[in-house]
Amino acid sequence: MCLSVSGLSDMCLSVSGHSLQYCHTTVSSPGHPLPLYMSVGYVDGIQITRYSSDTGRFVPVAPWMKKLDPEYWEEETRNGREAEATYELNVKISMSLFNQTGGLHSFQEMYGCELRDDGSTKGYWQYGYDGKDFLTLDTERWVYYPLTDQAQLSAQRWNEPKERTGERAKDYLETDCIDWLKTYLEYGKEEQERKVRPEVKVSGRPSGSAMKLHCQVYGFHPRDVDVNWKKNGMDIPSDEAKHVLPNSDGTYQLRASVEVTPEDGVSYSCHVDHSSLNETLIVLWVSDHHRPDRYHRISIVMIAIIVLTFLILAIWIHQRCNSKKPSSRSSSCNASEERPEAPQDKW
């Protein structure tokens, strides 16, 4: 994900198929935990590289990226330092376009390419300022469109034939970007081909008169997964989008949610299909009011309370008996026939 600054929307979203994307973020002023400039790269939604103005170096994040030659990282570091200077200028220009002289502001750029299974490709290039869309590239006509009034001058200048900005972007997205994507995929081939079985957890939470069911699927690899809720074996339509998100260890996670009205005799189950599974993984959701283990726990607690009560009563009776004189014939201490006292010698 792109760095969120002052409410910035997520501009970097993973796409289907194999993808390579870069996100650059610049902020206008220091005095906060964020670096003034940061660049991150992703392959299939997994972060592979990072450059920060705090360190001034491009470094590998995904372990398999360390296989690239040291010369690669030196060149990327030089490119990162040049980009840092350019983006610092971009945020200042943007501030002047919005008549801003101070405060914390941010400028973001996102671009990338996708290589589909049929061999076709797709690219995109977007800019944002202070969390809002600023400028975008039309990848059909290869011209830039302003998404705010302040971006009109930039779009006009970039679209001039002598600038060749759209043409250069086209060359990169259709050629260089795809070539680098293939290179990174080759280096990470072993990682990409590994299969990790998903863990599944289902839960329910009241939502008014209905119940919100959640199916959390996590720790799986590769990315492609199919998760659905079913009612008595029939699919339950859901209006909520299901986003596959990357984990720091290279695996993925997803949560599928539906809203239902629980009925007697009706079962709800989460169905997970993944390449690491030999068959569909089915996890049944059981309401707390119908869980057998719930009554089992209640029974154990009740038995424990009864035993503890009798134990306290027995201790109390024993202590009371010991505190009485031998002549006492309290029926509370002797449930059987009274024992005769021993004869007392007189002096």
Side-chain angles (χ1 to χ4, degrees):
M1 294 295 177
C2 279
L3 179 65
S4 290
V5 182
S6 299
L8 278 174
S9 59
D10 275 332
M11 294 176 62
C12 298
L13 299 178
S14 57
V15 293
S16 59
H18 291 302
S19 64
L20 171 63
Q21 56 187 199
Y22 288 96
C23 301
H24 308 285
T25 302
T26 309
V27 293
S28 59
S29 59
H32 48 75
L34 304 173
L36 289 176
Y37 171 74
M38 188 171 73
S39 172
V40 287
Y42 302 88
V43 168
D44 292 349
I46 298 295
Q47 187 176 347
I48 60 169
T49 60
R50 185 180 189 274
Y51 175 92
S52 170
S53 56
D54 292 343
T55 61
R57 296 200 61 81
F58 238 103
V59 295
V61 176
W64 41 272
M65 287 293 289
K66 297 178 182 179
K67 299 177 183 178
L68 277 76
D69 296 333
E71 291 78 9
Y72 168 87
W73 298 108
E74 290 299 326
E75 182 178 355
E76 285 295 275
T77 294
R78 289 192 295 270
N79 294 337
R81 291 172 179 171
E82 292 177 3
E84 180 180 344
T86 300
Y87 281 87
E88 287 178 359
L89 180 60
N90 285 340
V91 74
K92 293 178 180 178
I93 293 174
S94 299
M95 288 176 63
S96 65
L97 291 174
F98 284 87
N99 295 320
Q100 297 165 337
T101 57
L104 178 62
H105 301 282
S106 60
F107 181 87
Q108 280 193 317
E109 178 181 12
M110 179 193 75
Y111 56 89
C113 55
E114 177 186 356
L115 177 61
R116 298 170 177 171
D117 293 337
D118 60 4
S120 63
T121 64
K122 179 182 179 182
Y124 52 92
W125 214 304
Q126 298 173 300
Y127 296 85
Y129 181 72
D130 278 355
K132 298 180 180 179
D133 293 334
F134 183 76
L135 192 70
T136 188
L137 175 65
D138 180 352
T139 54
E140 295 292 334
R141 300 176 56 201
W142 299 103
V143 296
Y144 289 87
Y145 281 96
L147 301 177
T148 182
D149 292 340
Q150 289 78 4
Q152 290 183 3
L153 290 177
S154 297
Q156 291 174 5
R157 180 169 58 84
W158 288 2
N159 289 334
E160 291 179 1
K162 63 178 182 179
E163 292 291 335
R164 297 182 58 251
T165 308
E167 183 180 341
R168 292 198 305 271
K170 181 178 186 293
D171 290 340
Y172 173 80
L173 293 177
E174 294 185 344
T175 305
D176 293 345
C177 185
I178 296 297
D179 289 343
W180 277 115
L181 172 58
K182 292 178 179 178
T183 299
Y184 298 146
L185 289 174
E186 184 62 30
Y187 276 101
K189 186 176 181 180
E190 182 178 346
E191 168 70 16
Q192 293 295 323
E193 291 181 350
R194 72 187 178 105
K195 296 184 184 300
V196 182
R197 180 185 175 93
E199 299 290 336
V200 181
K201 179 181 179 181
V202 298
S203 61
R205 180 169 296 180
S207 176
S209 60
M211 180 70 69
K212 194 81 167 183
L213 303 183
H214 303 290
C215 182
Q216 184 73 35
V217 185
Y218 54 94
F220 58 89
H221 192 279
R223 182 179 183 276
D224 292 338
V225 67
D226 188 25
V227 181
N228 294 288
W229 275 100
K230 295 192 176 187
K231 173 183 176 181
N232 286 346
M234 303 296 292
D235 288 340
I236 303 176
S238 175
D239 295 332
E240 293 191 14
K242 293 178 287 189
H243 297 298
V244 178
L245 303 176
N247 295 320
S248 59
D249 62 356
T251 61
Y252 298 89
Q253 61 173 301
L254 176 145
R255 188 175 76 167
S257 303
V258 293
E259 191 171 283
V260 301
T261 303
E263 307 171 43
D264 292 336
V266 174
S267 65
Y268 299 94
S269 54
C270 179
H271 294 239
V272 180
D273 286 299
H274 188 256
S275 60
S276 65
L277 303 171
N278 295 325
E279 57 184 13
T280 301
L281 180 58
I282 302 174
V283 179
L284 187 67
W285 175 76
V286 181
S287 170
D288 286 340
H289 296 291
H290 296 88
R291 291 183 187 272
D293 59 336
R294 179 172 179 263
Y295 296 104
H296 181 64
R297 291 195 301 269
I298 293 176
S299 299
I300 293 177
V301 172
M302 292 299 295
I303 293 174
I305 292 174
I306 294 173
V307 171
L308 182 61
T309 300
F310 276 108
L311 181 61
I312 294 174
L313 182 61
I315 294 174
W316 177 78
I317 292 175
H318 178 71
Q319 290 178 342
R320 183 177 178 185
C321 290
N322 290 340
S323 66
K324 297 292 183 178
K325 294 180 180 180
S327 60
S328 174
R329 293 179 172 80
S330 172
S331 60
S332 61
C333 295
N334 297 282
S336 58
E337 183 179 354
E338 292 183 355
R339 176 175 60 84
E341 290 184 354
Q344 298 290 327
D345 292 336
K346 294 183 180 181
W347 295 92

